[in-house]
Amino acid sequence: MNERYDTSAPQMAAIETDIARTRASLDRKLHEIERRLAPDHVKAELKDALKRRVNPEPYLGWIATGLVAVGGWMAVRGARRHRDVDFPVADYSIPT
């Protein structure tokens, strides 16, 4: 059964080097996860996300268009409402 495994020194050194490299890689990944989950980092990410979400700048064109449409609708509605009213000429006539 010992014949299946090569326990020569070069093979063992390669395995140990691979293990050390894997440990270093896992260590870097764990440190990055710790950094990302730190309360200060999470709070900063949340602030940035809220700033992007609340920023009205992309919607200013739509807001302006809506306001113009509402103003136009109100003007047309007001003009239609007063269209049938007779102008009281007697009240504003110039005395002669």
Side-chain angles (χ1 to χ4, degrees):
M1 194 158 189
N2 287 339
E3 297 172 12
R4 291 181 60 190
Y5 299 108
D6 184 15
T7 57
S8 62
Q11 182 73 18
M12 292 300 287
I15 292 173
E16 289 174 355
T17 304
D18 189 37
I19 290 172
R21 195 174 329 130
T22 303
R23 281 184 182 161
S25 173
L26 286 174
D27 191 42
R28 284 192 308 271
K29 289 175 185 175
L30 285 174
H31 284 300
E32 180 63 21
I33 290 171
E34 286 176 3
R35 184 189 68 80
R36 288 184 184 183
L37 294 178
D40 291 337
H41 187 266
V42 171
K43 187 169 58 172
E45 288 290 321
L46 183 61
K47 276 185 178 180
D48 290 342
L50 284 174
K51 283 181 185 177
R52 285 191 306 268
R53 187 147 194 135
V54 176
N55 186 7
E57 195 170 302
Y59 305 105
L60 290 179
W62 288 105
I63 292 169
T65 303
L67 290 174
V68 168
V70 168
W73 174 75
M74 290 174 68
V76 169
R77 187 174 151 216
R80 285 185 180 170
R81 181 179 295 168
H82 298 294
R83 185 181 346 165
D84 297 330
V85 177
D86 292 330
F87 188 72
V89 178
D91 296 339
Y92 298 104
S93 61
I94 300 173
T96 55

